[in-house]
Amino acid sequence: MEQSPLLYRREMPGLIEIEERLKQMEATFDTPPSLILDNGTDSIKYGFSGQPLPKTIKLPENPCPIKRGVIENFEAVSTLWSSIIDRDFTEDLDIVLLDAPFPEKSQRKQLASIFFEQYAVRSLSFLNSAVASLFSTGKTKGLVLSIGEGITFVAPIFESCMLSRKLIMNVAGKDVTMAMGKELGVAESVAKVAKEKFGAVKVKGKEGDEQECGLILPDGRSVKISSKARHNASELLFKSTEDRKETVQSMVLESLKQCPSDIRPRSVVLAGGSTLLKGLRQRLAAEFAGANLEVLAETRRQHAAWIGASMLSSFSTFSEMRVTVCEYKENPELIFNRDIGLSLIHICRCRRYAVCRSRWSPYH
């Protein structure tokens, strides 16, 4: 008997493994492709369902229309959406928007208005980015630790259900970049390149790489990057301040405490581009050594949410999540009521799931 794609899992999938998963699902679930949009603080990732990886459009920096995961300038972002839709548009377009795990109702309402009224799409779906990130690993149970450009959040999930209230920290990749800039005394654009190429995390009990690195700028100048600069910038993720008590490790442990003991996740799945920092997985594994937690870092975790959405929207049952234009006109509140938990081939079978759904609404 062929293994269900829901149970299909690999620890460290690369591009080949992702394509194999998608092919397996295409063979069983043949549905028209949807255009998937992941609107991040740094960029917009887009592509059609069934594709292994997204394309990327960088957002303008000054001013950036999306801050800390919240769209502040819909007109500027709409211009980018238009460039995507005008190029890739087909008749009767279905859109999948990756949504924050703890969405703002006002933002979702405005998004629905733009896509149904301005772009006249056939249907619109909102997909929880944490659930999608987890699903990209083949799991339906786990705690997602997402460190993006603008925000850091943790989301414990059981069979597509959020198990705790929101835990968000407004410290993420951009803040690490700024800290790197202060260490090096360079502009933010240079610091971002230095962070992505040489940024690392201190690992307890292990000697760090003491080698000094050099970065050649476009104008030919060279910037020396010491071991201290490479490792110190990321420490703000792990250390509290007078103004902020949260750290990545404290948020994970606090989130797990809020979960019912019998369905408490035992694995932490990393997602977001800032989790690519060298040594991050090892540092977290050391931080959680006494908590019996497995830390999983998939190869293409910077695209985890988009990849999971590409996989999920390939299922025939995903149509249950879509809100059509006719349904929207009759009842706009449907955009708040349709969620992923009802459509994953009825995998949510236990009573505790229903209890969790009523207890931890994402809009609380």
Side-chain angles (χ1 to χ4, degrees):
M1 181 174 172
E2 186 176 4
Q3 186 182 28
S4 167
L6 283 171
L7 302 179
Y8 186 88
R9 55 179 288 191
R10 293 282 179 87
E11 293 302 320
M12 297 287 289
L15 182 59
I16 294 176
E17 286 84 357
I18 293 169
E19 289 176 335
E20 287 177 352
R21 291 182 189 178
L22 291 168
K23 286 178 181 178
Q24 182 183 17
M25 295 199 312
E26 287 170 2
T28 310
F29 306 106
D30 185 17
T31 58
S34 303
L35 179 61
I36 304 167
L37 297 172
D38 183 3
N39 303 298
T41 301
D42 182 57
S43 62
I44 295 176
K45 298 171 185 175
Y46 70 97
F48 285 103
S49 57
Q51 294 177 338
L53 291 173
K55 299 176 183 177
T56 300
I57 292 181
K58 301 294 288 185
L59 293 178
E61 295 183 1
N62 295 309
C64 183
I66 303 177
K67 295 182 179 179
R68 303 292 183 189
V70 177
I71 299 176
E72 294 190 348
N73 187 336
F74 277 90
E75 183 177 353
V77 178
S78 293
T79 300
L80 297 175
W81 291 334
S82 294
S83 69
I84 295 170
I85 292 174
D86 289 346
R87 180 171 60 250
D88 297 319
F89 184 86
T90 58
E91 279 192 38
D92 299 326
L93 186 64
D94 298 310
I95 295 284
V96 177
L97 289 178
L98 278 156
D99 206 1
F102 317 102
E104 297 290 337
K105 293 188 74 170
S106 59
Q107 178 162 292
R108 182 176 281 198
K109 185 176 181 179
Q110 191 161 356
L111 286 167
S113 175
I114 290 172
F115 279 95
F116 278 123
E117 297 170 17
Q118 180 177 332
Y119 295 117
V121 300
R122 178 172 62 180
S123 71
L124 182 65
S125 309
F126 289 93
L127 182 56
N128 184 311
S129 62
V131 172
S133 295
L134 181 64
F135 194 81
S136 72
T137 70
K139 291 176 174 288
T140 57
K141 175 183 176 182
L143 184 143
V144 175
L145 169 58
S146 175
I147 309 176
E149 182 71 3
I151 62 170
T152 296
F153 68 79
V154 296
I157 297 166
F158 177 74
E159 305 293 25
S160 308
C161 169
M162 302 288 293
L163 296 179
S164 76
R165 299 189 187 279
K166 62 182 178 183
L167 290 175
I168 298 175
M169 181 171 69
N170 283 331
V171 175
K174 187 175 181 64
D175 304 276
V176 175
T177 297
M178 294 173 67
M180 177 75 80
K182 290 180 180 179
E183 290 279 348
L184 299 176
V186 297
E188 185 177 333
S189 58
V190 177
K192 183 176 176 64
V193 176
K195 179 195 71 174
E196 292 175 351
K197 285 190 174 183
F198 305 113
V201 175
K202 295 178 181 177
V203 181
K204 293 182 177 180
K206 292 186 177 182
E207 292 295 328
D209 183 357
E210 301 298 328
Q211 184 178 1
E212 187 178 79
C213 303
L215 179 65
I216 305 298
L217 302 181
D219 61 6
R221 290 182 298 125
S222 176
V223 176
K224 292 183 179 180
I225 305 172
S226 66
S227 175
K228 179 181 177 182
R230 291 177 59 204
H231 293 85
N232 280 4
S234 61
E235 282 301 296
L236 57 83
L237 296 170
F238 296 91
K239 293 183 178 179
S240 59
T241 65
E242 292 183 0
D243 300 325
R244 171 181 55 83
K245 295 182 179 180
E246 298 89 354
T247 63
V248 289
Q249 65 271 36
S250 70
M251 291 198 329
V252 167
L253 295 175
E254 177 60 29
S255 182
L256 289 173
K257 285 181 183 178
Q258 295 179 11
C259 300
S261 59
D262 57 334
I263 55 174
R264 183 174 295 150
R266 305 312 310 171
S267 60
V268 177
V269 174
L270 302 184
S274 296
T275 63
L276 294 173
L277 284 167
K278 184 180 179 181
L280 180 66
R281 188 194 66 79
Q282 293 85 346
R283 171 68 174 270
L284 290 171
E287 294 283 353
F288 304 139
N292 191 29
L293 285 174
E294 181 185 19
V295 181
L296 302 178
E298 301 230 349
T299 307
R300 300 179 184 272
R301 55 192 177 275
Q302 71 271 35
H303 304 307
W306 193 95
I307 291 170
S310 179
M311 296 166 70
L312 280 167
S313 55
S314 296
F315 282 89
S316 59
T317 47
F318 190 82
S319 60
E320 298 174 28
M321 284 188 61
R322 303 188 193 281
V323 176
T324 66
V325 62
C326 293
E327 291 173 326
Y328 174 73
K329 289 178 179 179
E330 291 179 6
N331 181 14
E333 293 297 307
L334 278 177
I335 61 171
F336 304 116
N337 300 333
R338 293 241 170 120
D339 70 62
I340 192 169
L342 299 177
S343 64
L344 294 183
I345 315 184
H346 312 294
I347 62 171
C348 307
R349 293 183 290 267
C350 72
R351 289 179 178 270
R352 181 59 63 89
Y353 171 75
V355 173
C356 292
R357 273 176 53 87
S358 61
R359 183 180 178 190
W360 302 113
S361 167
Y363 292 105
H364 285 175

